Amino acid sequence: MQYIKGIDAFREEKRTAVTLGKFDGLHRGHQKLIERIRSYAGNDCVSVVCAFDMQRNCLMTKEERKKLLAGKVDYLIDYPFTGDLMTMEAERFIQKILYEKLHAAHIVVGSDFSFGYRKRGDHQMLERYAQKYDYTVDVVEKARLGDREISSTYVREALSHGNIRLAQELLGYPYEMTGIVEHGRELGRTLGFPTMNVAPQDGKILPRYGVYACQVLIDGKWYGGVGNAGVKPTVTQEQRELFEVYVYDYAGNAYGKYITIRFLEFERPETRFDSLRELKACVMQDMRYGEEYLREHPLTKS
């Protein structure tokens, strides 16, 4: 897969099967769109995901999106949501971007897709101009879970309640965060349970503040862990988001390393304690919870 930053950098002689959208999370609904453009890709047509970069808190970083799409499509284009794009009239977008720049042969969109100034363009408009600009339009119905449509909003809602199992079912893969292990106050080491502090990547949403059973990837190996997402209200007034994790059976020095945390199950909300003694007692209980959870749910290796 080739990663392209900005639509102007796209150079391809072949025609394209393209899907467009925010692709925040690449949930199961997005995956339906991607499978459709893959079905069109061949010797005379390449598959393109054009992702509008909204520059806001997201379910997925750009690196995570690249990783998930690698080997599945021919091109991923990050298209910044600039003022020019916001004010571009819908027909001009069809002509200049879809026809002249992307050479679209097949356009695949969801039923609620909108584009152009004041969102005046939709799939019906794409269909009206299909003959003029020589492309086909596939309108893919929303994926559903039960009686509700799968959407990024639904995933966010699940995460805000700490419902990791539901979020994973909507996404079709585990919810994760990656970051560098930072030096902290080493309070956990003082209390007898050394932890790793990791800040979420810029723009990445943390799930509901609280304690989670998790998996932790360090130097290519998965370990079990239990950690707290939040701002550590008992020991700091900084209000900076962190994930502080205790990693079972890890004895190395992880400072400065990139690690990946995979959220598995929510235990309890983040709590402010009146003393370090109360904090330690609760953390010991959290560690027992993590051990029991991981004993009942063996680690996955990928």
Side-chain angles (χ1 to χ4, degrees):
M1 182 190 77
Q2 295 188 49
Y3 171 72
I4 307 293
K5 189 172 182 179
I7 193 72
D8 291 336
F10 181 73
R11 301 284 189 275
E12 174 58 63
E13 296 298 323
K14 293 181 180 179
R15 300 198 68 186
T16 66
V18 59
T19 185
L20 309 96
K22 299 172 187 175
F23 296 105
D24 179 14
L26 285 179
H27 56 63
R28 285 168 49 197
H30 294 142
Q31 291 164 31
K32 288 182 66 176
L33 302 174
I34 291 162
E35 286 304 312
R36 187 66 61 86
I37 63 168
R38 280 166 56 91
S39 72
Y40 285 119
N43 293 331
D44 59 348
C45 186
V46 295
S47 56
V48 177
V49 172
C50 188
F52 297 122
D53 183 1
M54 305 301 288
Q55 297 291 333
R56 60 175 185 171
N57 287 341
C58 294
L59 298 168
M60 170 177 283
T61 66
K62 294 178 182 179
E63 287 302 316
E64 288 172 328
R65 186 162 56 203
K66 287 163 64 175
K67 181 180 176 181
L68 274 177
L69 288 177
K72 296 180 180 178
V73 297
D74 296 305
Y75 289 94
L76 167 61
I77 302 172
D78 266 329
Y79 195 161
F81 204 69
T82 61
D84 287 344
L85 180 59
M86 290 175 63
T87 57
M88 187 180 296
E89 292 292 348
E91 185 181 353
R92 181 173 176 79
F93 182 86
I94 294 173
Q95 178 187 354
K96 294 297 182 181
I97 304 302
L98 295 175
Y99 177 68
E100 295 180 6
K101 178 60 68 174
L102 294 176
H103 314 302
H106 309 284
I107 300 172
V108 178
V109 295
S111 55
D112 62 348
F113 177 70
S114 61
F115 65 99
Y117 182 54
R118 294 185 176 177
K119 298 183 178 181
R120 289 172 176 162
D122 54 20
H123 69 84
Q124 288 100 339
M125 184 176 189
L126 288 173
E127 290 165 342
R128 289 199 301 272
Y129 285 92
Q131 185 173 1
K132 178 177 179 179
Y133 292 109
D134 188 27
Y135 58 73
T136 67
V137 180
D138 286 17
V139 181
V140 177
E141 292 302 317
K142 292 276 193 175
R144 305 183 72 89
L145 181 64
D147 60 354
R148 186 165 175 182
E149 294 179 347
I150 294 176
S151 65
S152 296
T153 298
Y154 195 5
V155 179
R156 290 167 185 266
E157 181 183 308
L159 291 173
S160 73
H161 290 96
N163 195 337
I164 298 299
R165 292 186 184 185
L166 175 58
Q168 179 168 334
E169 190 169 3
L170 298 171
L171 290 168
Y173 57 88
Y175 193 70
E176 301 176 344
M177 62 168 279
T178 297
I180 299 175
V181 178
E182 305 177 358
H183 284 276
R185 299 175 63 184
E186 299 191 358
L187 180 61
R189 188 176 302 276
T190 302
L191 296 176
F193 38 83
T195 58
M196 301 179 192
N197 291 292
V198 181
Q201 309 101 307
D202 289 343
K204 179 77 173 186
I205 294 174
L206 271 182
R208 179 186 179 184
Y209 286 0
V211 175
Y212 293 84
C214 58
Q215 291 183 208
V216 185
L217 182 65
I218 309 173
D219 293 333
K221 181 179 178 180
W222 285 105
Y223 298 84
V226 63
N228 182 78
V231 294
K232 301 196 286 188
T234 303
V235 298
T236 181
Q237 301 297 318
E238 191 177 355
Q239 296 296 304
R240 178 169 174 256
E241 286 191 331
L242 288 169
F243 192 76
E244 183 178 17
V245 59
Y246 176 82
V247 182
Y248 299 103
D249 302 321
Y250 181 79
N253 182 350
Y255 288 125
K257 293 183 178 182
Y258 276 95
I259 68 172
T260 295
I261 294 136
R262 177 174 292 173
F263 297 92
L264 300 178
E265 185 77 7
F266 179 78
E267 180 200 1
R268 63 170 178 86
E270 184 173 56
T271 305
R272 181 182 178 86
F273 298 97
D274 294 329
S275 69
L276 292 180
R277 182 178 179 179
E278 290 183 10
L279 171 62
K280 181 175 181 179
C282 194
V283 170
M284 296 302 292
Q285 182 177 324
D286 295 337
M287 291 171 66
R288 289 191 293 271
Y289 159 80
E291 288 175 338
E292 292 173 4
Y293 180 90
L294 292 163
R295 187 162 49 246
E296 296 172 2
H297 302 82
L299 297 181
T300 58
K301 302 301 181 182
S302 60

